[in-house]
Amino acid sequence: MTTKVSAGTMKVAQIPKAGADFEIVEREIPQPDFGQVRIKVQACGVCHSDMFTKEGAWPGIQYPRVPGHEIAGIIDELGAGVSVWEKGQRVGVGWHGGQDGTCLSCRRGDFRNCRNLKIPGISYDGGYQQYLVAPVEALAAMPKSLSDVEAAPLLCAGITTYNALRHSGAFPGDLVAVLGVGGLGHLGIQFANKFGYKVAAIGRGSENAMLAKKLGATLYIDSKATNATEALQELGGAQVILATAPSSKAMSELIDGLAPNGKLIVIGATSDPIEVTPIQLISGSRTIQGWAAGTPTDSEDTLRFAELTGVRPMIETYPLEKAAEAYARMMSGHAEFRVVLTM
Ligand SMILES: [Zn+2]
Ligand SMILES: [Zn+2]
């Protein structure tokens, strides 16, 4: 089903107000301003964090708002002052949708932690539409061999797992556990394998055991059937546990599975507290660290690494008109594993 669009207009899947359902509307195609480009969107991943826009769970969102921060497309118009990027160039836009360049973090070169970070789909209209206007500091160049639907999820789920792991301090051969075999975890397992780690995938139930091994896990731990912490300790403890499953309980239970100097890296977002005693951290000098996506240059590294090593997301695609269905599928937790909208 394709809704007809008149000349100069485009189709948009927007949230009219916090907590409301998606609506498909026609809008004028936007013009890029100074320092911006217009992107003809080819594909946009549906991420759990789109919930912030859908439900109004992020402060200051102005409605109507178009969600979407896993955007793959083609530059089709340049705003004034844009020199490096070209019309017709394939680009991606992820969670990092622009920095102010003036806050203390930015002045230190730490753009990822910009105090006034802009996020597509939250600060401005994101990728659930046919055309998107974005500032140049949000753009990542796209390698030729990656298709749009494959690249889109790499711009949030991919970069987050890749970037967290490459900054984790684990060395090749180290035991790295990936908690959760889902949207983030199925990518985390692949990256961890390609980084040369001994990968322990941890899931609830046995149904993902075969898949986890196919994705590159050395072993699979069914945390329903066995004590995952003991299983990790029998292997000497994990240097890193990449916690992708949004379960604070599961994370808390695994802390004792860390090796001395081991690190729990939290990327599965929930608002429940993680429970840990000081003794658990003091003995073995363990740490817990959170990690948020990365900058567009980190995205480029992620895409290049995926191109080089064959890491790819497993996806289900839906047309833009079915954004509501696609979003519901993602929220159900049953998607295998990333949902992607095509325009
Ligand atoms: Zn995301
Ligand atoms: Zn800043």
Side-chain angles (χ1 to χ4, degrees):
M1 180 195 78
T2 309
T3 318
K4 276 243 170 71
V5 181
S6 20
T9 65
M10 63 172 182
K11 258 182 301 176
V12 166
Q14 69 179 19
I15 301 295
K17 60 177 199 284
D21 289 331
F22 281 94
E23 53 183 30
I24 306 292
V25 297
E26 206 170 304
R27 282 198 201 171
E28 294 281 308
I29 294 175
Q31 294 299 322
D33 216 331
F34 186 89
Q36 296 179 330
V37 300
R38 185 173 67 210
I39 298 166
K40 187 174 193 298
V41 180
Q42 303 291 98
C44 183
V46 177
C47 179
H48 191 265
S49 299
D50 294 340
M51 170 274 296
F52 290 122
T53 307
K54 171 79 170 61
E55 304 304 333
W58 193 279
I61 298 181
Q62 284 170 17
Y63 292 90
R65 185 53 87 218
V66 179
H69 58 265
E70 291 186 344
I71 304 150
I74 301 162
I75 296 179
D76 94 315
E77 193 60 83
L78 304 176
V82 177
S83 54
V84 178
W85 303 89
E86 292 170 4
K87 269 198 211 183
Q89 190 174 355
R90 291 180 69 221
V91 290
V93 177
W95 180 258
H96 188 106
Q99 69 270 3
D100 62 4
T102 56
C103 76
L104 189 58
S105 291
C106 283
R107 287 166 59 216
R108 288 190 164 130
D110 185 12
F111 302 124
R112 193 169 62 90
N113 289 312
C114 174
R115 187 184 290 186
N116 300 303
L117 179 70
K118 288 197 191 109
I119 302 158
I122 291 179
S123 320
Y124 55 87
D125 287 329
Y128 288 28
Q129 56 180 343
Q130 290 178 306
Y131 292 88
L132 158 96
V133 163
V136 287
E137 66 266 23
L139 304 180
M142 189 84 83
K144 277 199 182 75
S145 71
L146 286 180
S147 72
D148 296 307
V149 288
E150 286 173 334
L154 294 174
L155 294 157
C156 181
I159 183 185
T160 302
T161 47
Y162 169 83
N163 223 14
L165 283 173
R166 72 169 172 167
H167 288 102
S168 70
F171 289 116
D174 281 349
L175 177 64
V176 169
V178 177
L179 170 62
V181 185
L184 287 167
H186 88 289
L187 286 164
I189 292 167
Q190 293 180 66
F191 283 125
N193 168 262
K194 297 297 182 189
F195 286 1
Y197 303 143
K198 180 174 180 176
V199 185
I202 304 172
R204 286 193 71 71
S206 59
E207 59 271 19
N208 281 328
M210 292 281 283
L211 175 68
K213 286 192 180 161
K214 211 176 118 210
L215 294 171
T218 319
L219 65 148
Y220 179 81
I221 300 170
D222 173 359
S223 62
K224 229 193 238 172
T226 52
N227 182 323
T229 302
E230 280 172 15
L232 290 178
Q233 280 306 345
E234 276 164 26
L235 298 162
Q239 202 53 51
V240 165
I241 298 172
L242 184 68
T244 72
S247 164
S248 299
K249 186 168 175 286
M251 294 181 204
S252 305
E253 285 169 3
L254 273 185
I255 290 166
D256 285 334
L258 287 169
N261 302 305
K263 189 189 280 185
L264 174 75
I265 304 181
V266 178
I267 59 173
T270 87
S271 46
D272 305 321
I274 294 170
E275 274 187 44
V276 60
T277 67
I279 305 281
Q280 282 177 288
L281 298 179
I282 292 166
S283 56
S285 303
R286 294 152 166 162
T287 51
I288 301 177
Q289 182 186 15
W291 191 274
T295 61
T297 46
D298 292 325
S299 282
E300 289 181 6
D301 294 344
T302 308
L303 295 169
R304 251 199 321 269
F305 187 85
E307 182 185 42
L308 184 70
T309 58
V311 171
R312 296 290 187 276
M314 292 168 68
I315 55 170
E316 298 178 2
T317 61
Y318 289 78
L320 176 64
E321 295 83 355
K322 295 192 172 167
E325 202 179 309
Y327 177 83
R329 174 73 176 157
M330 178 279 299
M331 288 302 281
S332 76
H334 297 303
E336 291 182 347
F337 281 98
R338 300 297 289 188
V339 176
V340 180
L341 294 173
T342 56
M343 310 302 144

